Amino acid sequence: MGLNRRTFIKNTGLLLGYSMLPYSNLYSSTSQKPLGVCLVGLGYYSTDLLAPALQLTKHCKLTGIVTGSPWKIPKWQKRYGILDKNVYNYQNMNRIADNPDIDVIYIVLPTGLHAKYAIKAAQTGKHVWCEKPMARTTSECQAIIDACTKNKVKLSIGYRMQHEPNTQQIIKWANTQPYGKIKTITAEAGYYDSRSDHWKQNKALGGGAMYDMGVYPLNATRYVTGEEPIAVLKAEHTTKRPKIYTEVDETTHFTLEFPSGAIAKCKTSFGAGMNTLRVDCQNGSYGLRPFQAYGGIRGKASDGVLLNHSIPNQQAKQMDDDALAIINNTSVLVPGEEGMKDIRIVEAIYQAASSGEKIVLQ
């Protein structure tokens, strides 16, 4: 596919081709005012996806920003009516502790910065939403969890697909197994990234295909089976652009083994477009294609059952779900422990690729 990620989304209408209706008909009513959300980091995902999605939510709204780029501030204030007192930089974001307009701090930074700023966010006493992947290491993940626990705030990781209805149906099938015992899973996620100088090519910042796109197929294998893998059978990093991908992986293949005997064959890449989830079972099969795009998630089963439920905006649903968990003091759908489980396996995948050996997961 000769398209970069943003062009692909635009040309296929995955982002803009949906009804822009609010979510008033999707949630139980509540008299509480929407939660104020502060976005930390105003890059592509915040600018093009989260901020517009917050205009569609019922239970939260955009009230604050944290940025290290002062030139972005006037544009954001004009577009979203953000007050001067709700604008922060990375040095003074601790002052959010005294701001009643902000209830949630959403970390939308390069992966290598998640731990530092998620911990800072927790220390303000505000609830924390952190984009996936949760962090670079399991120790960083645990530090985030500990900070949120100590400060008695909720922590949710931005795995939006677990909030998506077709994906949720597949998660239910992990328990009911309507097509028999799961034999194999094929999961692939990637896009062609034409950039040659971006943080996703920087190891210290958490770059690499496995961290960025690889957590989609990895997380999918876990929710498809309802199990934790017991081993990374093999893993391999490759690149067709060695002058660009000097520090991190451009493409990664990995194979996982699960307690039930299911085998997952996965691939992720910055060098080619791919977006498939297939589950082969003893008595049939099912899957989604695409399975992790920003919209248009579709699939079917071997007996003709369709997976074609649609929602106006994935990010809006994710944030409203997480807001309701705060409002109602219930468990979040994707807690920090879920994010840490993926990073534990990511670390093992890199170890397997480096050693060329099977890695048993403890």
Side-chain angles (χ1 to χ4, degrees):
M1 294 177 65
L3 299 174
N4 64 31
R5 191 181 195 183
R6 197 174 306 190
T7 303
F8 175 76
I9 295 167
K10 180 179 179 181
N11 289 350
T12 55
L14 294 181
L15 177 61
L16 299 178
Y18 287 88
S19 166
M20 301 305 280
L21 296 174
Y23 277 82
S24 58
N25 63 327
L26 297 180
Y27 299 98
S28 58
S29 60
T30 176
S31 59
Q32 179 163 332
K33 69 180 181 66
L35 301 180
V37 176
C38 177
L39 296 177
V40 180
L42 305 184
Y44 163 66
Y45 197 67
S46 285
T47 301
D48 288 13
L49 293 158
L50 292 178
L54 279 163
Q55 310 314 301
L56 309 176
T57 55
K58 179 181 179 182
H59 300 291
C60 46
K61 65 178 181 178
L62 177 60
T63 56
I65 54 174
V66 176
T67 181
S69 304
W71 61 269
K72 294 182 180 180
I73 295 171
K75 180 179 178 180
W76 277 73
Q77 288 189 303
K78 182 178 180 180
R79 180 171 296 179
Y80 298 113
I82 297 171
L83 303 176
D84 288 342
K85 68 185 184 71
N86 294 346
V87 176
Y88 299 86
N89 57 47
Y90 298 111
Q91 289 71 45
N92 68 10
M93 65 176 282
N94 61 298
R95 297 178 187 172
I96 296 175
D98 302 318
N99 191 334
D101 292 349
I102 296 171
D103 303 290
V104 178
I105 299 176
Y106 196 156
I107 308 301
V108 200
L109 292 166
T111 305
L113 300 176
H114 283 185
K116 178 179 180 179
Y117 290 99
I119 291 169
K120 279 191 173 186
Q123 290 169 345
T124 69
K126 309 295 183 176
H127 300 287
V128 181
W129 297 346
C130 180
E131 254 314 300
K132 66 85 197 159
M134 185 176 176
R136 288 190 67 236
T137 66
T138 52
S139 60
E140 288 182 347
C141 293
Q142 188 63 58
I144 296 171
I145 293 170
D146 291 346
C148 290
T149 300
K150 179 179 179 181
N151 290 281
K152 299 180 181 180
V153 298
K154 289 188 181 293
L155 168 65
S156 183
I157 310 303
Y159 283 87
R160 72 182 193 284
M161 301 318 304
Q162 292 200 31
H163 299 260
E164 192 276 327
N166 299 297
T167 305
Q168 289 180 333
Q169 180 61 65
I170 283 180
I171 292 172
K172 291 177 183 177
W173 284 348
N175 294 321
T176 62
Q177 296 199 346
Y179 300 95
K181 184 179 179 180
I182 296 172
K183 297 293 189 180
T184 61
I185 304 139
T186 303
E188 299 180 348
Y191 65 98
Y192 183 81
D193 193 335
S194 61
R195 296 171 295 193
S196 59
D197 185 20
H198 189 262
W199 73 260
K200 291 183 181 180
Q201 291 140 6
N202 183 310
K203 183 177 181 179
L205 289 177
M210 188 63 229
Y211 275 103
D212 184 62
M213 297 299 290
V215 293
Y216 286 113
L218 169 56
N219 195 251
T221 66
R222 294 178 51 244
Y223 62 63
V224 160
T225 61
E227 298 180 328
E228 296 303 320
I230 57 175
V232 180
L233 296 181
K234 59 182 178 180
E236 180 185 17
H237 300 315
T238 63
T239 180
K240 293 182 179 180
R241 294 177 288 174
K243 291 183 179 180
I244 298 174
Y245 289 91
T246 60
E247 297 184 359
V248 300
D249 51 305
E250 179 182 16
T251 298
T252 296
H253 298 77
F254 59 98
T255 303
L256 304 176
E257 179 185 6
F258 289 84
S260 62
I263 300 295
K265 298 180 179 180
C266 305
K267 181 179 180 181
T268 184
S269 182
F270 286 150
M274 56 192 77
N275 202 331
T276 300
L277 174 63
R278 179 182 172 89
V279 185
D280 289 294
C281 309
Q282 191 170 9
N283 303 318
S285 62
Y286 53 90
L288 297 171
R289 186 171 184 177
F291 87 96
Q292 55 78 34
Y294 292 141
I297 306 301
R298 293 290 183 273
K300 63 180 180 180
S302 54
D303 61 358
V305 171
L306 297 178
L307 297 163
N308 61 358
H309 300 286
S310 63
I311 55 175
N313 186 287
Q314 293 173 5
Q315 286 82 3
K317 175 125 182 359
Q318 169 199 324
M319 290 187 285
D320 262 341
D321 284 350
D322 288 340
L324 279 173
I326 294 169
I327 292 168
N328 298 324
N329 194 25
T330 56
S331 298
V332 299
L333 186 60
V334 189
E337 289 76 9
E338 172 74 358
M340 185 166 67
K341 287 175 182 178
D342 273 354
I343 298 306
R344 167 178 164 266
I345 302 164
V346 169
E347 290 179 321
I349 289 168
Y350 278 103
Q351 185 180 352
S354 176
S355 69
E357 299 177 352
K358 171 183 174 179
I359 302 298
V360 175
L361 294 162
Q362 301 298 326

